[in-house]
């Protein structure tokens, strides 16, 4: 059998080519960087080979694990006699059907409760928590696989409470396991071992919905490693219980957890080898992530030269430089997204299609819009609004070509906030759908995403909140510090087939006058124009809000109407090509991920 080092080097292109995915929290590496799918699978492979006795050679002179288990049983009897632990009920015998794989000679299957002391945490009251001290309470958010995040929302208790709850004090080499997570996800049963550095100058106490594992004679680093093997975790997750979105693991399930135990000397060899190989994985992942960051910066800088071009000659030169290296620059989903954003920026700067001096200037279009609004006010169809402020030179983020004009969104469109429909009025089916924030994503509505409806009576009473084809819908609430709102999507004909759409609260509809809706929808996705909106966000705690007044004041560049048509046609063409490139990249990465999966399975078997 090939050594694992050879397996890594022979297939390095597969392990490291599978694209980076967002950090899930179960990987060994820490930090905010993404984890490479292939390397993630490689880590899982290393752990599984380790606990199946396929990572290091067996030594016939090693004392078999059966002798170790006898010593553990004797130690538990001794501790019970001394009153240091309570006598527990015998755990069920292990049946052949339970064993997920065969073990080498000298190894044994055992239940976690037979080789360790398991203890649930204390239900400390949040009212007892302090912001500082030397007695820290470890909560679920502090535990991630392989390490404690001790500084993550750290809380402490006073000396008196610590003295009264010393049975929940954690020792070096204890393992801590999270017992609660989300139904259908593997965001719990995270386990981490307590190291010397974790208890320097402080005591750690175990909170509720956590379990500590204190092993008898089995090497803690080996046991910690075994509790991260996906195949062994499968059994635990299959026994999860819970209601609604919360999943729970019981102490009885943890006690019954099946663990493969090698001879004690082999445990040492396995831990040493796994540490060595995991360090190699860390190195590979760091190299990949560093290269990805450098690649992203290069793409951003080169694309930036296009938007910063001073004239046509400068633009052509910059574009030629990018075109020469197109196949090496645009190889990731992130690079394609950057390209699409640059196309939008070029479009609204007047650099994507040539200007035609015969086009009627945008100033004439704005005059017609003003006249139309005055007519609608006179007819009582819209209410007269206060004049929006004049646009100052310092507000304009970039210069526009001749014939273009800067204007405020409220001057060229009718904006309207949504209705606060009561959730008790919602029904599961119907022909009057209420569009909520979760239905809106950039460029498109997710019509079928948790769709809710209202009856005809309520629809008739709230017709002023109904949406028309070509209305643009904007989300107005998100997360402080994130750009997960001001998503905008245009209503298309197929969105209202056989149904009516109604606007819910914390959404704004934009109905433009004469300005081409596809162009306006596009302009509202330019990051530079969005910067101003986000700078005016308000909110409390984690929630950010955009006001109707901010949206009305939003600065929008307006080209002549004929140029709007040319821009929309060109952007549609280029976006379609970009989407094809992105789809190809996604499919390629999916193939690489499947290769990594197959290679890992083949190696284990």
């Amino acid at each position: 059998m090939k050594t694992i080092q050879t397996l890594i080097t022979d297939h390095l292109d597969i392990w490291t080519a599978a694209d980076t995915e967002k950090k899930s929290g179960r990987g060994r590496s820490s930090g905010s960087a993404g984890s490479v799918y292939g390397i993630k699978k490689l880590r899982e492979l290393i752990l599984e080979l380790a606990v199946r006795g396929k990572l290091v050679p067996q030594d016939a002179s090693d004392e078999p694990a059966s002798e170790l288990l006898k010593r553990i049983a004797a130690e538990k009897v001794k501790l019970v006699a001394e009153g240091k632990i309570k006598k527990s009920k015998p755990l069920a015998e292990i049946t052949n059907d339970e064993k997920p794989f065969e073990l080498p000679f000298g190894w044994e299957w055992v239940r976690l409760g037979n080789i360790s002391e398991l203890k649930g945490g204390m239900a400390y009251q949040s009212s007892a928590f302090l912001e500082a001290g030397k007695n820290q309470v470890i909560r679920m958010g502090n535990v991630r696989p392989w390490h404690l995040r001790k500084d993550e929302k750290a809380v402490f208790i006073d000396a008196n409470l610590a003295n009264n709850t010393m049975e929940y004090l954690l020792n070096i080499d204890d393992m801590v396991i999270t017992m609660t997570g989300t139904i259908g996800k593997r965001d719990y049963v995270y386990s981490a071992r307590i190291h010397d550095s974790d208890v320097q100058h402080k005591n750690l106490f175990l909170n509720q919905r956590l379990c500590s594992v204190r092993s008898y004679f089995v090497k803690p680093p080996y046991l910690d490693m075994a509790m991260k093997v996906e195949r062994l975790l499968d059994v635990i997750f299959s026994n999860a219980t819970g209601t609604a979105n919360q999943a729970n693991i019981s102490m009885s399930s943890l006690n019954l957890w099946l663990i493969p135990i090698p001879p004690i000397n082999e445990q040492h060899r396995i831990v040493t080898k796994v540490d060595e190989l995991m360090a190699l994985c860390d190195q590979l992942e760091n190299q990949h992530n560093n290269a990805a960051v450098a690649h992203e910066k290069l793409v951003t800088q080169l694309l930036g030269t296009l938007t910063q071009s001073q004239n046509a000659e400068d633009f052509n030169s910059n574009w030629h430089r990018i075109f020469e290296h197109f196949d090496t620059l645009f190889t990731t989903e992130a690079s394609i997204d950057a390209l699409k954003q640059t196309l939008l920026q070029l479009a609204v700067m007047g650099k994507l299609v040539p200007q035609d001096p015969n086009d009627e200037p945008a100033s004439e279009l704005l005059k017609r819009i003003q006249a139309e609004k005055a007519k609608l006010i006179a007819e009582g169809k819209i209410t007269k609004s206060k004049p929006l402020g004049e646009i100052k030179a310092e507000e304009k983020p970039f210069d526009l070509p001749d014939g273009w004009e800067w204007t405020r969104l409220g001057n060229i469109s009718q904006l309207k906030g949504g209705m606060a429909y009561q959730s008790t009025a919602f029904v599961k089916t119907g022909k009057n759908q209420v569009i909520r924030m979760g239905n809106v994503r950039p460029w498109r509505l997710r019509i079928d995403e948790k769709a809710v409806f209202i009856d005809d009576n309520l629809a008739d009473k709230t017709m002023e909140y109904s949406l028309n084809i070509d209305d643009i819908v904007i989300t107005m609430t998100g997360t402080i510090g994130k750009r997960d709102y001001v998503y905008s999507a245009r209503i298309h004909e197929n969105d209202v087939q056989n149904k009516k759409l109604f606007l819910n609260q914390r959404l704004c509809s934009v109905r433009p006058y004469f300005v081409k809706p596809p162009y306006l929808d596009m302009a509202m996705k330019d990051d530079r124009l969005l910067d101003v909106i986000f700078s005016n966000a308000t909110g409390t705690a984690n929630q950010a809000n955009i006001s109707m007044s901010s949206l009305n004041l939003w600065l929008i560049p307006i080209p002549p109407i004929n140029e709007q048509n040319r821009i929309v046609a060109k952007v549609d063409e280029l976006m379609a090509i970009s989407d094809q490139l992105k789809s190809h990249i996604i499919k390629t990465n999916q193939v690489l991920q499947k290769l990594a999966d197959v290679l890992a399975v083949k190696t284990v078997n």
Side-chain angles (χ1 to χ4, degrees):
M1 185 182 73
K2 289 185 176 181
T3 65
I4 188 68
Q5 288 96 333
T6 303
L7 178 69
I8 293 173
T9 55
D10 283 358
H11 303 285
L12 196 60
D13 54 337
I14 293 176
W15 300 123
T16 59
D19 199 18
T20 301
E21 59 180 15
K22 188 176 179 180
K23 201 69 176 172
S24 65
R26 192 170 283 282
R28 178 172 173 118
S29 296
S30 60
S32 59
S35 62
V36 183
Y37 181 87
I39 296 178
K40 175 177 174 285
K41 297 304 295 185
L42 184 56
R43 293 184 198 279
E44 293 174 6
L45 171 61
I46 290 167
L47 291 181
E48 179 146 351
L49 291 174
V51 300
R52 294 184 71 160
K54 296 183 177 183
L55 193 63
V56 298
Q58 278 74 52
D59 186 335
S61 64
D62 284 344
E63 177 191 72
S66 56
E67 295 301 312
L68 173 62
L69 298 184
K70 289 178 185 176
R71 288 201 300 279
I72 291 172
E75 177 69 11
K76 291 182 71 174
V77 170
K78 174 174 170 288
L79 292 173
V80 169
E82 294 172 352
K84 293 182 179 178
I85 63 170
K86 294 179 181 179
K87 186 175 182 179
S88 55
K89 293 180 180 179
L91 299 176
E93 291 291 322
I94 299 171
T95 65
N96 286 331
D97 291 341
E98 290 182 87
K99 301 172 183 178
F101 46 81
E102 294 294 325
L103 295 178
F105 181 78
W107 288 48
E108 296 288 341
W109 283 107
V110 69
R111 299 198 186 277
L112 183 60
N114 282 332
I115 57 170
S116 56
E117 179 189 355
L118 277 68
K119 186 172 182 61
M122 166 72 182
Y124 289 101
Q125 299 297 309
S126 59
S127 57
F129 291 155
L130 308 172
E131 292 183 359
K134 67 175 185 178
N135 301 302
Q136 182 175 352
V137 176
I138 296 299
R139 300 182 293 175
M140 286 205 299
N142 300 121
V143 182
R144 285 297 177 273
W146 300 105
H147 71 288
L148 292 182
R149 298 194 302 186
K150 295 192 304 300
D151 298 328
E152 185 78 12
K153 298 180 180 178
V155 297
F156 302 82
I157 52 176
D158 61 30
N160 184 50
L161 182 54
N163 289 333
N164 289 333
T165 57
M166 287 300 289
E167 63 184 295
Y168 299 100
L169 180 69
L170 293 165
N171 292 348
I172 294 170
D173 277 335
D174 283 353
M175 270 78 67
V176 180
I177 305 174
T178 63
M179 299 174 66
T180 296
T182 310
I183 288 283
K185 293 185 178 180
R186 293 176 79 130
D187 59 357
Y188 58 117
V189 199
Y190 290 163
S191 58
R193 184 162 56 94
I194 306 298
H195 294 81
D196 290 0
S197 57
D198 295 322
V199 293
Q200 280 184 349
H201 312 302
K202 66 172 66 175
N203 300 314
L204 302 181
F205 292 81
L206 193 69
N207 200 38
Q208 61 185 337
R209 301 310 306 150
L210 290 166
C211 170
S212 65
V213 179
R214 188 169 295 168
S215 67
Y216 302 110
F217 303 143
V218 174
K219 294 298 176 184
Y222 171 80
L223 187 55
D224 183 31
M225 175 194 312
M227 292 193 298
K228 293 174 175 63
V229 174
E230 293 296 330
R231 196 173 299 202
L232 302 182
L233 282 163
D234 287 343
V235 178
I236 290 294
F237 286 115
S238 69
N239 292 324
T241 60
T243 57
N245 286 327
Q246 181 173 295
N248 298 302
I249 294 296
S250 67
M251 291 293 293
S252 60
S253 290
L254 293 176
N255 269 290
L256 291 171
W257 199 350
L258 223 56
I259 304 292
I261 299 297
I264 195 72
N265 287 339
E266 191 169 347
Q267 290 178 35
H268 282 293
R269 297 195 299 272
I270 289 172
V271 168
T272 299
K273 179 58 69 176
V274 167
D275 285 346
E276 173 191 339
L277 295 173
M278 289 295 183
L280 177 58
C281 288
D282 291 343
Q283 183 181 353
L284 289 172
E285 191 164 65
N286 287 335
Q287 289 173 352
H288 184 281
N289 287 331
N290 289 339
V293 170
H295 177 264
E296 186 176 341
K297 286 182 178 178
L298 177 61
V299 168
T300 300
Q301 289 174 1
L302 289 176
L303 289 174
T305 64
L306 296 178
T307 57
Q308 294 158 18
S309 299
Q310 298 301 309
N311 50 53
E313 183 181 355
D314 192 20
F315 180 89
N316 289 334
S317 174
N318 291 329
W319 171 246
H320 184 69
R321 186 183 303 112
I322 292 173
F323 182 76
E324 282 185 326
H325 304 284
F326 198 90
D327 57 340
T328 54
L329 286 173
F330 300 103
T331 56
T332 64
E333 292 181 59
S335 63
I336 298 298
D337 288 339
L339 175 61
K340 292 169 74 173
Q341 178 58 215
T342 300
L343 293 174
L344 290 181
Q345 293 182 359
L346 293 172
V348 302
M349 293 178 78
K351 295 184 176 183
L352 194 62
V353 299
Q355 278 74 54
D356 185 339
N358 296 317
D359 284 344
E360 176 191 72
S363 56
E364 294 301 313
L365 172 62
L366 297 182
K367 289 177 185 177
R368 285 204 302 279
I369 291 173
Q370 286 180 332
E372 176 69 11
K373 290 181 70 176
K375 174 175 171 287
L376 292 173
I377 291 169
E379 295 171 351
K381 294 181 179 178
I382 63 172
T383 57
K384 187 176 182 178
S385 56
K386 293 181 180 179
L388 300 175
E390 290 293 319
I391 298 171
K392 300 175 183 177
E394 57 267 26
E395 288 185 83
K396 302 173 183 178
F398 46 83
D399 294 329
L400 297 178
D402 290 339
W404 288 49
E405 295 289 340
W406 283 107
T407 189
R408 297 195 188 279
L409 183 60
N411 283 331
I412 57 169
S413 56
Q414 179 187 356
L415 276 68
K416 186 172 182 62
M419 166 72 182
Y421 289 101
Q422 299 297 308
S423 59
T424 52
F426 293 154
V427 292
K428 292 182 179 180
T429 59
K431 64 178 182 180
N432 305 302
Q433 183 174 351
V434 176
I435 296 299
R436 300 182 292 174
M437 287 205 300
N439 298 119
V440 183
R441 284 298 177 272
W443 297 108
R444 65 189 176 92
L445 290 183
R446 298 194 299 186
I447 287 285
D448 299 325
E449 185 77 11
K450 297 180 180 178
V452 296
F453 302 82
I454 52 175
D455 61 30
D456 288 343
N457 185 46
L458 182 54
D460 289 340
K461 291 178 179 178
T462 57
M463 282 302 291
E464 62 182 297
Y465 299 100
S466 64
L467 294 164
N468 292 348
I469 294 171
D470 277 335
D471 284 353
I472 301 164
V473 181
I474 306 174
T475 63
M476 299 174 66
T477 295
T479 311
I480 288 283
K482 292 185 179 181
R483 292 176 78 133
D484 58 357
Y485 57 118
V486 200
Y487 290 162
S488 59
R490 183 164 56 92
I491 306 296
H492 293 81
E493 192 171 349
N494 62 323
D495 294 323
V496 292
Q497 279 185 348
N498 306 316
K499 67 171 69 172
K500 294 178 181 177
L501 303 181
F502 292 80
L503 194 69
N504 201 38
Q505 61 186 336
R506 301 311 305 152
L507 289 166
C508 170
S509 67
V510 179
R511 188 169 294 169
Y513 303 108
F514 302 145
V515 173
K516 297 294 179 181
Y519 171 79
L520 185 56
D521 183 31
M522 176 194 311
M524 293 193 297
K525 293 173 175 64
D526 184 325
D527 279 339
R528 295 162 306 172
L529 303 182
L530 282 164
D531 287 343
V532 178
I533 290 293
F534 286 114
S535 69
N536 291 324
T538 60
T540 57
N542 286 327
Q543 182 173 294
N545 298 302
I546 295 296
S547 67
M548 290 293 292
S549 61
S550 291
L551 292 176
N552 270 290
L553 292 170
W554 199 350
L555 221 58
I556 303 292
I558 300 297
I561 196 72
N562 288 340
E563 190 169 348
Q564 289 179 35
N565 288 326
R566 296 196 298 275
I567 288 171
V568 169
K570 179 57 70 175
V571 168
D572 285 348
E573 175 190 347
L574 295 175
M575 288 295 179
I577 295 172
S578 298
D579 288 339
Q580 289 174 5
L581 285 172
K582 190 171 182 178
S583 177
H584 175 71
I585 290 168
I586 291 171
K587 288 178 181 177
T588 300
N589 284 325
Q590 288 172 343
V591 170
L592 289 168
Q593 289 178 12
K594 287 181 181 178
L595 285 173
D597 290 341
V598 170
L599 187 57
V601 170
K602 183 179 178 181
T603 303
V604 169
N605 296 330

